[in-house]
Amino acid sequence: MLHDTDVLVVGGGLTGLSCALFLARHGVRCTLAERHPDLLSHPRQRSLVPRLMEIYRQVGLESRIRENRVDFASSAEYVAIRAETLAGARHLPVDQQDDAARAAAFSPCSGTPIDQNRVEELLRTRAGELGARTRFGTEVRGLSQHEGGVEAHLRDLDGTGHRLLARYVVAADGGRSQVRHALGIPMEGQVDFFRLLTLMVDADLRPALAGRTVHMAFLERPRPRTYLMALDRTGLRWVFGTTDDPGDAEPDEDACVELVRAAAGLPEARVTLRPQIPGTARTVLRFEVGAAVAAAYRKGRVFLIGDAAHLMPPTGGFGGVVGVEDAHNLAWKLAAVVHGHAGEGLLGTYEDERRPVAEFALRQALARYRSRLERLPVTGEVPVDRSTVMMGHRYRSTAVIGGASEATAPVEVSRLCGEPGTRAPHLPLTGSAERSTIDLYGGRFVLLTGPDGQDWVTAAGKLPLPVTARRLEIDGAAALHGIGPRGAVLVRPDGFVAWRSPGPAADPAAELLAALTAVLSAPPRHSHDIVTE
């Protein structure tokens, strides 16, 4: 069967664009369809944490992201408050407590302040450079699964219809995912936690600040769960959000202005609404805020990622990270199957690995939501450091050999030590203070050995699969990965440890081939060049 594309990605937000980029990085023919005519102007997520910077660094985006960072506030400067109105006399500080910057010592990357809409522009450009096709203003009207492929029915904004045949489909079409709905996959949890109405405005709210510094304000007016988020340091550009009942009609411009004035506590403030989608007059956007996880992450050849797979309150900022990691995890597996390196069984490990991560992150987001916004009694879930939520999870699946056999608590980033199923630890590479072992990952399997592990390096050269082999010659490097001088650790393309041998093996080539065969759910079938160092 001839396919127009290997993978169709539905949805052009942060998660969908990331997925298209990762697939293109792996040499997979990819087409992305997004119903909106362009990217949203709404900033949404306002920074990238170290883990996302690591992932984007592997696809050549780190320097571009830093060049486009916003002059907003460092983590040390960031001020969040709770008050009745922005002008209210009583501003209660919101404890930001566990900023992910604590992970800096355990990552080659630091967090970066940058608006999500700008990140999406960079993702779209980079995905195109690597060969991904992006079609904005194209809606996916239906999917029909057949043996060997999925037929997608597309419609452009001008009403023109198209047919596209793909081997697989990845749904990244948000919390209201039409693909998930069509597949009949229910959400488990509270889908309609609340609905958020958002505006982007030009408004001089400095009189309400009265010299105070506020970057994020959680407010009681005009109704609970209202917020004002500063877009810059001037106090002249803001994002406004408040709860909105599903049955409410969309407010007109005058009503929107009054909502912002009530939140600011400035009844005479001059407020101008700004479009949130370039090329349109849309000034009001609504977002579903939920607390639920999809009952399944896959049906046949269609996969769910990001908000289509899990809905999280914004507290903690976990939704975007978990969504991008979904894409990162799934992309290399799809690529391995498309290129004939792996069996279909590998694709089943996507849900096995990612769904527990979403469930844990959701519990952490709810724990923060209760303590910071609702002031509800704290339940059994205790908030842990954000870096642990984002980098410390353990995978249990057939794509991991020798890891934890039962559900186990995440690992603190400082304690990562090469255990199968965990993120491989960061370590500077010999001869370069700026390069890290993290830079070795992202494209192919990597075999790291102790300083006396030449037998493993030689064995890697006999594998019928692309593998980068490298000896760890820095003092303590082998021990940090849980191996001795003659041991080896196999790291997957997503930077997670697949298998390790603490010491030497009688037949290293046979050991490695057996490990790869198990991880990939089938013997590799093609021969490729092997890179050794």
Side-chain angles (χ1 to χ4, degrees):
M1 179 181 293
L2 295 177
H3 301 89
D4 302 306
T5 190
D6 290 322
V7 180
L8 169 65
V9 178
V10 184
L14 180 73
T15 302
L17 287 165
S18 294
C19 188
L21 172 55
F22 303 149
L23 288 166
R25 167 68 173 80
H26 287 294
V28 175
R29 292 184 305 149
C30 172
T31 300
L32 180 147
E34 164 57 48
R35 64 186 180 88
H36 286 129
D38 207 339
L39 299 168
L40 300 185
S41 299
H42 193 294
R44 291 153 290 162
Q45 185 172 287
R46 304 229 57 202
S47 65
L48 292 180
V49 295
R51 179 55 183 158
L52 288 189
M53 290 297 291
E54 287 181 359
I55 291 173
Y56 291 143
R57 171 181 174 125
Q58 293 170 350
V59 290
L61 276 182
E62 183 185 31
S63 61
R64 297 188 197 182
I65 289 171
R66 297 205 183 281
E67 289 168 2
N68 285 272
R69 60 181 288 151
V70 295
D71 179 23
F72 183 60
S74 68
S75 57
E77 297 173 313
Y78 191 83
V79 176
I81 59 101
R82 184 187 297 120
E84 184 172 4
T85 69
L86 190 63
R90 192 162 180 250
H91 279 195
L92 300 176
V94 174
D95 184 11
Q96 295 302 106
Q97 64 186 13
D98 53 356
D99 193 274
R102 295 181 185 179
F106 312 106
S107 172
C109 301
S110 59
T112 301
I114 183 170
D115 294 338
Q116 181 173 323
N117 56 303
R118 187 62 185 133
V119 175
E120 290 172 351
E121 292 173 5
L122 298 174
L123 290 171
R124 180 168 62 178
T125 298
R126 183 60 176 151
E129 291 172 353
L130 295 181
R133 297 172 57 204
T134 56
R135 296 179 56 161
F136 279 70
T138 298
E139 183 178 10
V140 177
R141 301 284 290 175
L143 298 172
S144 303
Q145 297 201 51
H146 309 288
E147 184 178 354
V150 184
E151 184 176 330
H153 304 277
L154 313 179
R155 187 177 69 179
D156 294 338
L157 288 177
D158 62 6
T160 304
H162 305 273
R163 168 189 169 278
L164 184 143
L165 189 61
R167 291 186 63 174
Y168 299 98
V169 172
V170 177
D173 54 339
R176 302 181 191 179
S177 173
Q178 292 299 310
V179 174
R180 185 188 66 229
H181 179 75
L183 294 175
I185 298 176
M187 298 293 283
E188 296 179 348
Q190 191 172 351
V191 177
D192 56 346
F193 206 48
F194 61 88
R195 191 170 73 166
L196 194 65
L197 178 150
T198 69
L199 307 168
M200 292 178 62
V201 302
D202 293 324
D204 186 356
L205 304 187
R206 289 176 295 184
L209 294 173
R212 297 172 292 194
T213 297
V214 173
H215 299 102
M216 186 75 178
F218 301 103
L219 308 168
E220 297 296 321
R221 302 289 181 185
R223 57 189 71 138
R225 297 178 182 154
T226 293
Y227 71 85
L228 279 168
M229 179 171 66
L231 279 175
D232 56 26
R233 295 176 181 269
T234 67
L236 301 176
R237 299 176 60 234
W238 298 81
V239 172
F240 166 89
T242 193
T243 50
D244 179 44
D245 292 331
D248 288 353
E250 185 168 303
D252 61 20
E253 183 174 349
D254 290 341
C256 289
V257 168
E258 291 305 318
L259 289 173
V260 177
R261 287 172 172 171
L266 299 174
E268 302 298 326
R270 190 172 183 177
V271 178
T272 302
L273 307 185
R274 301 173 59 199
Q276 298 199 58
I277 303 176
T280 76
R282 289 283 299 279
T283 57
V284 178
L285 289 180
R286 288 181 165 107
F287 298 95
E288 300 291 343
V289 178
V293 177
Y297 274 30
R298 175 191 186 185
K299 188 168 184 178
R301 291 177 170 268
V302 183
F303 299 82
L304 307 179
I305 65 173
D307 288 353
H310 41 74
L311 298 170
M312 298 185 193
T315 43
F318 300 132
V321 179
V322 175
V324 173
E325 282 205 318
D326 289 344
H328 199 234
N329 181 288
L330 180 59
W332 78 266
K333 295 173 180 178
L334 284 170
V337 174
V338 166
H339 294 319
H341 301 160
E344 285 279 341
L346 178 63
L347 300 179
T349 67
Y350 165 64
E351 179 174 341
D352 294 340
E353 294 181 352
R354 294 304 302 167
R355 195 169 187 274
V357 172
E359 291 173 333
F360 176 69
L362 174 57
R363 294 196 301 270
Q364 286 291 306
L366 285 173
R368 287 163 170 78
Y369 183 85
R370 293 186 181 100
S371 64
R372 297 183 188 181
L373 299 181
E374 292 291 325
R375 287 174 280 183
L376 298 175
V378 176
T379 59
E381 189 75 20
V382 177
V384 301
D385 191 88
R386 287 177 69 221
S387 61
T388 299
V389 180
M390 297 175 184
M391 297 188 189
H393 41 273
R394 305 173 192 249
Y395 289 153
R396 293 183 301 125
S397 76
T398 57
V400 172
I401 302 172
S405 58
E406 299 180 356
T408 311
V411 185
E412 292 182 21
V413 179
S414 61
R415 297 177 181 271
L416 289 171
C417 59
E419 176 189 353
T422 64
R423 167 185 167 274
H426 151 66
L427 188 73
L429 291 175
T430 304
S432 175
E434 297 181 356
R435 293 200 71 219
S436 159
T437 49
I438 299 294
D439 297 323
L440 300 175
Y441 315 136
R444 57 175 61 179
F445 280 85
V446 174
L447 183 73
L448 300 177
T449 79
D452 300 325
Q454 184 59 45
D455 287 350
W456 290 109
V457 175
T458 301
K462 301 176 182 179
L463 293 173
L465 182 79
V467 174
T468 297
R470 186 181 186 113
R471 286 186 294 172
L472 296 170
E473 298 179 325
I474 303 174
D475 289 343
L480 181 63
H481 288 77
I483 59 175
R486 298 183 64 190
V489 58
L490 183 66
V491 183
R492 309 184 326 186
D494 59 356
F496 277 71
V497 177
W499 163 91
R500 72 179 172 187
S501 174
D507 189 343
E511 290 272 358
L512 278 177
L513 184 59
L516 275 173
T517 298
V519 168
L520 295 173
S521 296
R525 296 192 293 271
H526 292 294
S527 179
H528 295 268
D529 292 335
I530 307 299
V531 176
T532 59
E533 298 184 48

